[in-house]
Amino acid sequence: MQASLPLLCLPCAGASATMYLRWRRALPRWIEVVPVELPGRGGRLGEHFVEDFDRMVAQLCAEHEGVLRGRYALFGHSMGALLAWGMAQHQRQQHRPLPSALIVSGSAAPSQRDPDRFLDITDDAALIADLRKQGGTPDELFDSPELLRMTLDTLGADYRLCRSFVHADPASLPVPLHVLAGRQDDIAPWRMQAWAAETTHARFTLEGFEGGHFFIRQHETSVLAALARHLASALMAAGGVDAARALA
């Protein structure tokens, strides 16, 4: 089955597009995984970081305009979830095609983000402590001064981007919205449930997985099965593929 649905995947803070590369082999072939690289990391290491949320969203929509003209879906984890939602809102505001589905994980709803979350995380020591608290960072990184320096610079810039976010109470999105959450994550359940207000579509789900903030790595097989299921439903609703082929 040929690729039928591009899935733009937005990374979490401090990460690059490589966090999604393995999904290309693990997801069904009809899902075209498009790992989104942000400025200042990975293949864009020579570029300046973007530390303003609205500017980052507009830039990403411009850079991926070709994909966003047709049928597509958005996924993001943690900071990436906020960026994915921002891109969908930008598309709505510009009267451009909306995603067939928006899937977010490991992030409080935009309207319920903790304003103090990044307030005191401004130096290396605080960034390292936060990395260790969140988990998901290989021990080898802390033993490599060069890799640690790159990670801290990226994480600091991304946290400043998150601090720049302001929820201006935009209209809810008329798209299917699926939320994935770690049951042991420290994000309060009511902050996750608040995503329900971000869509007017009948298809809203909130699904819990065992694990902390990086449950998408700890239970990747289950997460990818959920992604495939939600995307298949979106395509079937749009008349793109029949159920048997989508879920194969």
Side-chain angles (χ1 to χ4, degrees):
M1 183 175 180
Q2 295 180 345
S4 301
L5 185 69
L7 174 65
L8 279 72
C9 298
L10 285 297
C12 60
S16 71
T18 58
M19 69 179 287
Y20 297 119
L21 289 180
R22 58 183 286 130
W23 287 15
R24 287 175 167 170
R25 298 187 302 272
L27 281 167
R29 286 179 294 172
W30 57 268
I31 301 174
E32 180 188 355
V33 176
V34 183
V36 176
E37 193 73 276
L38 306 184
R41 69 211 73 196
R44 306 181 68 173
L45 191 59
E47 300 180 33
H48 293 296
F49 293 115
V50 176
E51 300 180 5
D52 179 82
F53 180 82
D54 291 337
R55 179 185 164 199
M56 184 77 269
V57 164
Q59 182 172 327
L60 290 174
C61 286
E63 291 172 350
H64 295 275
E65 181 182 7
V67 174
L68 299 180
R69 286 176 182 170
R71 187 165 55 190
Y72 66 94
L74 294 169
F75 172 83
H77 179 71
S78 198
M79 178 188 75
L82 191 63
L83 287 172
W85 171 86
M87 291 177 68
Q89 284 289 355
H90 187 272
Q91 289 287 103
R92 180 190 63 79
Q93 292 161 5
Q94 298 298 316
H95 305 288
R96 294 171 181 166
L98 295 175
S100 297
L102 172 61
I103 307 176
V104 296
S105 75
S107 175
S111 64
Q112 300 299 331
R113 291 180 63 80
D114 182 358
D116 298 327
R117 168 68 178 89
F118 306 106
L119 195 60
D120 298 323
I121 308 176
T122 56
D123 58 22
D124 285 357
L127 288 168
I128 291 172
D130 200 61
L131 273 177
R132 293 189 182 280
K133 176 185 176 184
Q134 295 297 327
T137 302
D139 291 336
E140 293 79 6
L141 184 142
F142 296 105
D143 297 329
S144 170
E146 183 178 355
L147 288 177
L148 183 59
R149 180 72 269 151
M150 291 174 60
T151 299
L152 294 180
D153 289 345
T154 303
L155 190 63
D158 288 347
Y159 281 5
R160 288 189 290 275
L161 182 150
C162 291
R163 283 202 298 269
S164 76
F165 172 75
V166 176
H167 189 260
D169 198 23
S172 299
L173 294 161
V175 301
L177 175 56
H178 304 287
V179 183
L180 314 181
R183 294 192 179 99
Q184 285 75 49
D185 200 345
D186 61 3
I187 302 174
W190 63 269
R191 294 184 188 272
M192 302 297 295
Q193 181 61 45
W195 277 103
E198 300 296 335
T199 181
T200 58
H201 200 280
R203 285 193 178 89
F204 170 81
T205 63
L206 172 58
E207 189 170 356
F209 296 81
E210 291 303 313
H213 190 62
F214 285 100
F215 67 92
I216 65 168
R217 293 176 182 167
Q218 298 165 334
H219 299 282
E220 185 177 73
T221 300
S222 297
V223 168
L224 295 184
L227 281 178
R229 185 174 67 252
H230 293 316
L231 294 176
S233 295
L235 280 184
M236 286 185 284
V241 291
D242 61 76
R245 294 176 70 196
L247 293 172

